[in-house]
Amino acid sequence: QKEVEQDPGPLSVPEGAIVSLNCTYSNSAFQYFMWYRQYSRKGPELLMYTYSSGNKEDGRFTAQVDKSSKYISLFIRDSQPSDSATYLCAMRNTDKLIFGTGTRLQVFP
Amino acid sequence: DAGVTQSPTHLIKTRGQQVTLRCSPISGHKSVSWYQQVLGQGPQFIFQYYEKEERGRGNFPDRFSARQFPNYSSELNVNALLLGDSALYLCASSSPGKETQYFGPGTRLLVL
């Protein structure tokens, strides 16, 4: 079993839709949770960073962590074609990040 | 401020050759980490360096090595290249006491 599981998609939604991206994890020692966005053939770009259970909002993005269920989510409101990318969840274990496989998102006009 | 920079952007090598990849962290960041990202997968941790010392190593063979210089830049070396080493190699830097890592654009390595 992988430490971090993420549905690879692809996920295709119309512009303006609400997108929900999810990851589950098995290691209860994970304390820091991140979401990265990666455009094709580019490096990952940090979107959101959370520490505790609960919600964190930044513009159209909301990150949610449920440590009791070992489940994290990223919600994108009013999705735009420019949001089309691969979204990677990552969890910090000591000094390294453990990534999910990434979910490919396509937002069509 | 400039972000993490990496060079070269692309590289083509043949099996058995050796390669050196370079990374310059964000100004003020003292920690550099290296990751390998195979197509369709998330990045896999290779090394972390802090203040020129290795602080962590992932599950990679000894053909992979790295070092960090006094100016906090870093090199990743891979010897005896295999076809399976073809990947995007990412460098990330982080600030002391901060948990977040910021990634460079990566070096795309193709081994033929």
Side-chain angles (χ1 to χ4, degrees):
Chain A
Q1 182 190 4
K2 290 184 177 181
E3 282 190 284
V4 179
E5 298 279 358
Q6 184 175 10
D7 187 336
L11 188 60
S12 185
V13 301
E15 183 175 356
I18 296 174
V19 175
S20 172
L21 305 166
N22 311 295
C23 287
T24 58
Y25 62 95
S26 57
N27 189 343
S28 57
F30 290 149
Q31 293 186 341
Y32 303 97
F33 306 90
M34 293 147 217
W35 285 95
Y36 286 84
R37 176 174 63 194
Q38 187 173 27
Y39 291 113
S40 181
R41 308 183 87 79
K42 302 290 186 184
E45 169 196 8
L46 181 65
L47 276 179
M48 300 285 287
Y49 156 65
T50 55
Y51 168 67
S52 57
S53 284
N55 293 352
K56 181 177 181 179
E57 193 172 313
D58 184 1
R60 296 186 296 112
F61 299 91
T62 299
Q64 193 173 77
V65 174
D66 182 349
K67 286 188 175 180
S68 62
S69 301
K70 298 190 182 67
Y71 188 88
I72 70 170
S73 299
L74 177 71
F75 298 96
I76 306 174
R77 289 184 300 280
D78 189 25
S79 56
Q80 302 295 309
S82 59
D83 294 328
S84 298
T86 295
Y87 290 80
L88 295 155
C89 64
M91 303 174 194
R92 186 179 170 97
N93 184 356
T94 59
D95 292 324
K96 66 182 179 184
L97 296 181
I98 309 293
F99 283 87
T101 54
T103 299
R104 195 154 59 91
L105 172 66
Q106 179 73 36
V107 181
F108 57 90
Chain B
D1 275 343
V4 177
T5 59
Q6 292 186 244
S7 63
T9 55
H10 295 83
L11 208 49
I12 299 175
K13 292 285 188 178
T14 56
R15 280 179 299 173
Q17 285 190 311
Q18 174 264 340
V19 67
T20 298
L21 311 180
R22 295 175 177 83
C23 170
S24 291
I26 293 170
S27 177
H29 287 192
K30 298 182 178 181
S31 178
V32 168
S33 298
W34 287 94
Y35 292 81
Q36 180 196 65
Q37 186 177 24
V38 173
L39 195 63
Q41 299 294 319
Q44 298 288 315
F45 173 74
I46 309 176
F47 285 111
Q48 190 202 39
Y49 276 77
Y50 179 72
E51 292 279 13
K52 295 171 287 181
E53 291 197 2
E54 182 182 305
R55 289 298 182 93
R57 184 184 183 114
N59 189 22
F60 280 81
D62 291 344
R63 300 185 295 107
F64 289 77
S65 64
R67 55 179 175 168
Q68 187 177 31
F69 299 98
N71 66 353
Y72 304 111
S73 67
S74 178
E75 285 182 353
L76 174 70
N77 294 286
V78 187
N79 293 323
L81 285 166
L82 303 174
L83 296 180
D85 295 332
S86 296
L88 181 67
Y89 287 85
L90 295 162
C91 173
S93 75
S94 57
S95 183
K98 301 290 185 182
E99 290 74 29
T100 50
Q101 296 185 11
Y102 296 89
F103 284 83
T107 293
R108 190 163 297 276
L109 173 65
L110 178 61
V111 182
L112 301 176

